[in-house]
Amino acid sequence: MLTTMRHLLLFISCVCLSPVKPALGSLPAPPSAPKKNVLFLVADDAGFEMGSYRKKVVQTPNLDALAKKSLIFNNLFASVSSCSPSRASILSGLPTHQNGMYGLHQSVHHFNSFDGIRSLPNLLRDHNIYSGIIGKKHVGPSEVYKFDYEATEETHSIMQVGRNITKMKLLVRDFLEKKPAEPFFLYVGFHDPHRCGHTHPEYGAFCQFFGNGETGMGHIPDWHPITYDPTQVEVPHFVQDSLSARRDIAAQYTTISRLDQGVGLVLKELENAGELNNTLVIYTSDNGIPFAGGRTNLYDSGIRLPMLMSSPFHTERHYQATYAMSSHLDLVPTVLDWFSVPYPTIDISQNQLLQPLTGKSLLPLLIKEPTDNGEAIFASHNHHEVTMYYPMRAVRTKHFKLIHNINYRMPFPIDQDLYISRSFQDILNCTREKKPIHWSKTLKTYYYRPEWEFFDLRKDAEELRNVAGKPAYKETMEDLKSKLLKWQEITKDPWICSPNGVFENSGTFKDNPACLPLDNLDF
């Protein structure tokens, strides 16, 4: 196995790319084998703020009703903590460093997946499954992520197709009326509860005033706004407990309630069209909530997410929880398994092997909880905004978490909409004025991180005590390092030798890829 010890030339053995089948323990089809569809409901920067995850203040009756007909995931993780990279991973089944979507897709950031990536809609089209996307898409190129029906920010206002739940309802109805008789895959990308103080400050920090009927705010007919008292909200452990942060959370709650009502409208459209009882419904979010410690971090607060999976054909575990280690990288295999579609091993147009999937189908969890507790999930992060270069890799089991901060000599970057938020300005101002922050971290420890962070989650679920280097954890940490390195090899991670080596795999090194030492950490 490859290591990155300084002053040492080590070689990587080539990884064989064997065919990967998505159906790992597939479920038997129902006796009548009715037409089966899939509905993805993807929230934008949403966390566990919903009643079914034991939150008592925020009101989410529609998501809670869906949870009663779903398997509730308690160990579901994004493979990256940024919007476009996460959505690309959800739709391709490949981590960000393998699919090429290293950062945000829009505007000056301009990241795109590689041209040869085979995304879900393109794979399904080859098997006569009609695909549609409504709301936030935020990935490219368009040909790589080409849906048969599209109503996204590429041709509409994101405020209308991502936050106006009446407009979204009508678009879902239009999709269902226009679709052919064949099975369908519909992806609905809500823009709630993303911050909007950076782009649309006139609507409030989280666009909580957009469409509420007040002067200049417009009106969303199907939305019944719910406002929250900042003193009553539940503050996550990684957010400072201050009035500024509480006001942000209260605004966030309002847009979570709008998202929730939108989910109810979408499901009602499926029911009215007679499709709800033959559709696998999956609700999740792209990454953690947009507070310091959340989105763009590989701590659990940045990548551990809610997920509900509701199958009308498999009701054995409705309203039960699974603790199986699961990843967004498992969603493509799950959908392919649902439709009995194989994942191709060869790109005929390019006459080359396709990159294999490392995920697994989650459908067997609808029947039975696995007994194996040793499985790990992996995460890979490179950018958010184009200026935010801070590559990280992580591996997590049920009991331990290892994070490799590759760019650890630089301060951790802050994105634009977080920076201007009340909650982050509160941290900045209190630090400058040497006032108490009421936070689990300091600004200095948040910015400057060691190369390796290792957490014993049995004793430290909030990931506050780094035990890397402690003798008692040496063997376990080395084991996770080996697992992480192996995953980087399998997924052909270009950062595999960073930060103290250069990866060479062509020319002289074509048959023996190697990490060549930089001697750059001795100063």
Side-chain angles (χ1 to χ4, degrees):
M1 180 165 289
L2 180 84
T3 61
T4 53
M5 296 175 59
R6 287 175 288 169
H7 310 299
L8 191 61
L9 179 63
L10 294 164
F11 295 97
I12 308 174
S13 59
C14 294
V15 179
C16 294
L17 303 182
S18 57
V20 175
K21 294 183 179 180
L24 305 179
S26 304
L27 297 179
S32 58
K35 181 184 70 174
K36 299 194 293 184
N37 312 305
V38 173
L39 170 66
F40 268 16
L41 301 166
V42 182
D44 202 354
D45 294 356
F48 292 96
E49 289 73 27
M50 46 196 291
S52 48
Y53 281 99
R54 300 183 179 180
K55 299 300 184 228
K56 300 177 181 179
V57 177
V58 64
Q59 297 181 40
T60 55
N62 294 285
L63 284 168
D64 297 341
L66 177 61
K68 290 180 180 179
K69 298 179 179 180
S70 301
L71 181 63
I72 302 171
F73 284 72
N74 278 337
N75 279 323
L76 183 279
F77 297 84
S79 67
V80 58
S81 192
S82 174
C83 180
S84 297
S86 182
R87 291 163 192 267
S89 293
I90 288 172
L91 288 170
S92 71
L94 302 171
T96 176
H97 64 258
Q98 197 175 14
N99 70 53
M101 185 70 73
Y102 299 145
L104 298 181
H105 173 60
Q106 86 282 10
S107 186
V108 67
H109 315 296
H110 201 57
F111 288 101
N112 284 282
S113 288
F114 300 127
D115 292 340
I117 296 300
R118 300 295 302 277
S119 70
L120 256 182
N122 290 344
L123 289 169
L124 297 178
R125 185 179 303 106
D126 292 341
H127 293 267
N128 298 315
I129 296 166
Y130 190 72
S131 65
I133 183 168
I134 294 166
K136 188 170 184 176
K137 186 178 183 182
H138 212 30
V139 292
S142 58
E143 289 302 311
V144 168
Y145 299 98
K146 185 176 179 59
F147 291 77
D148 298 309
Y149 178 103
E150 296 198 8
T152 73
E153 74 277 8
E154 294 179 355
T155 53
H156 300 71
S157 161
I158 186 58
M159 300 294 286
Q160 293 299 322
V161 297
R163 296 190 196 263
N164 184 339
I165 57 176
T166 297
K167 174 73 171 178
M168 297 178 75
K169 173 192 77 173
L170 295 175
L171 287 169
V172 171
R173 183 180 303 173
D174 185 58
F175 168 83
L176 293 172
E177 291 174 349
K178 290 181 177 178
K179 70 173 183 62
E182 61 202 36
F184 68 80
F185 168 69
L186 177 59
Y187 178 112
V188 179
F190 292 89
H191 196 23
D192 284 329
H194 194 286
R195 287 186 182 274
C196 73
H198 172 61
T199 55
H200 294 283
E202 68 273 20
Y203 294 126
F206 282 82
C207 280
Q208 70 271 21
F209 303 129
F210 173 71
N212 70 359
E214 296 179 2
T215 302
M217 296 296 106
H219 177 57
I220 301 174
D222 289 295
W223 182 36
H224 305 286
I226 301 172
T227 57
Y228 295 87
D229 182 347
T231 66
Q232 299 299 312
V233 301
E234 299 175 75
V235 181
H237 69 84
F238 57 93
V239 177
Q240 80 274 20
D241 194 350
S242 69
L243 182 58
S244 294
R246 285 177 168 273
R247 285 173 174 164
D248 262 2
I249 294 169
Q252 177 202 34
Y253 278 13
T254 294
T255 57
I256 290 172
S257 291
R258 182 168 60 206
L259 159 72
D260 174 77
Q261 293 175 36
V263 167
L265 293 172
V266 171
L267 294 177
K268 187 64 177 176
E269 289 300 315
L270 257 69
E271 182 181 12
N272 292 343
E275 300 287 4
L276 189 58
N277 289 332
N278 56 18
T279 299
L280 178 71
V281 179
I282 299 175
Y283 167 83
T284 189
S285 177
D286 54 353
N287 45 247
I289 65 175
F291 289 79
R295 184 187 64 193
T296 75
N297 287 268
L298 293 190
Y299 301 126
D300 276 11
S301 44
I303 59 172
R304 191 175 188 178
L305 300 171
M307 190 164 83
L308 308 175
M309 184 178 293
S310 177
S311 167
F313 306 128
H314 311 96
T315 61
E316 296 91 328
R317 303 193 67 193
H318 277 186
Y319 211 33
Q320 292 184 18
T322 175
Y323 294 87
M325 299 297 290
S326 309
S327 167
H328 276 168
L329 298 178
D330 298 326
L331 291 178
V332 167
T334 299
V335 173
L336 295 180
D337 192 3
W338 179 261
F339 286 122
S340 299
V341 170
Y343 188 76
T345 57
I346 297 176
D347 183 347
I348 298 176
S349 64
Q350 300 295 324
N351 193 29
Q352 63 183 16
L353 289 173
L354 283 174
Q355 299 179 91
L357 300 179
T358 57
K360 61 186 180 302
S361 173
L362 299 175
L363 294 184
L365 295 178
L366 297 174
I367 299 295
K368 184 179 179 181
E369 186 75 357
T371 56
D372 181 16
N373 292 327
E375 194 160 346
I377 63 93
F378 299 89
S380 166
H381 186 101
N382 299 306
H383 285 269
H384 182 61
E385 294 165 358
V386 68
T387 59
M388 295 175 62
Y389 180 67
Y390 200 86
M392 300 173 283
R393 301 294 182 266
V395 54
R396 190 196 191 278
T397 65
K398 284 190 175 180
H399 301 311
F400 297 98
K401 172 85 157 287
L402 178 69
I403 301 175
H404 187 197
N405 296 309
I406 294 171
N407 204 24
Y408 69 99
R409 289 195 172 185
M410 292 293 290
F412 189 82
I414 306 298
D415 59 272
Q416 291 173 311
D417 61 347
L418 174 62
Y419 180 82
I420 64 171
S421 69
R422 285 176 294 205
S423 53
F424 191 74
Q425 287 299 310
D426 177 54
I427 292 174
L428 282 177
N429 292 333
C430 287
T431 301
R432 290 164 179 165
E433 298 169 12
K434 295 182 170 53
K435 293 180 179 179
I437 305 179
H438 308 291
W439 193 26
S440 59
K441 299 178 182 290
T442 66
L443 197 55
K444 181 178 180 180
T445 58
Y446 186 71
Y447 282 151
Y448 294 98
R449 309 176 182 191
E451 181 178 4
W452 296 97
E453 295 180 272
F454 187 64
F455 302 103
D456 184 344
L457 303 173
R458 301 168 302 178
K459 303 175 182 178
D460 180 26
E462 297 179 359
E463 299 171 305
L464 297 175
R465 297 183 295 277
N466 181 15
V467 295
K470 301 284 186 182
Y473 293 99
K474 181 178 179 180
E475 183 176 344
T476 305
M477 184 173 170
E478 289 302 317
D479 178 61
L480 287 192
K481 278 188 177 182
S482 296
K483 283 183 167 64
L484 180 59
L485 186 60
K486 185 64 177 176
W487 181 72
Q488 289 181 272
E489 290 179 4
I490 291 172
T491 57
K492 298 186 178 299
D493 188 352
W495 281 263
I496 193 168
C497 300
S498 299
N500 58 340
V502 171
F503 181 51
E504 295 287 356
N505 65 341
S506 60
T508 305
F509 300 94
K510 181 179 180 180
D511 297 325
N512 293 291
C515 278
L516 305 184
L518 283 167
D519 298 344
N520 59 346
L521 300 180
D522 294 332
F523 306 102

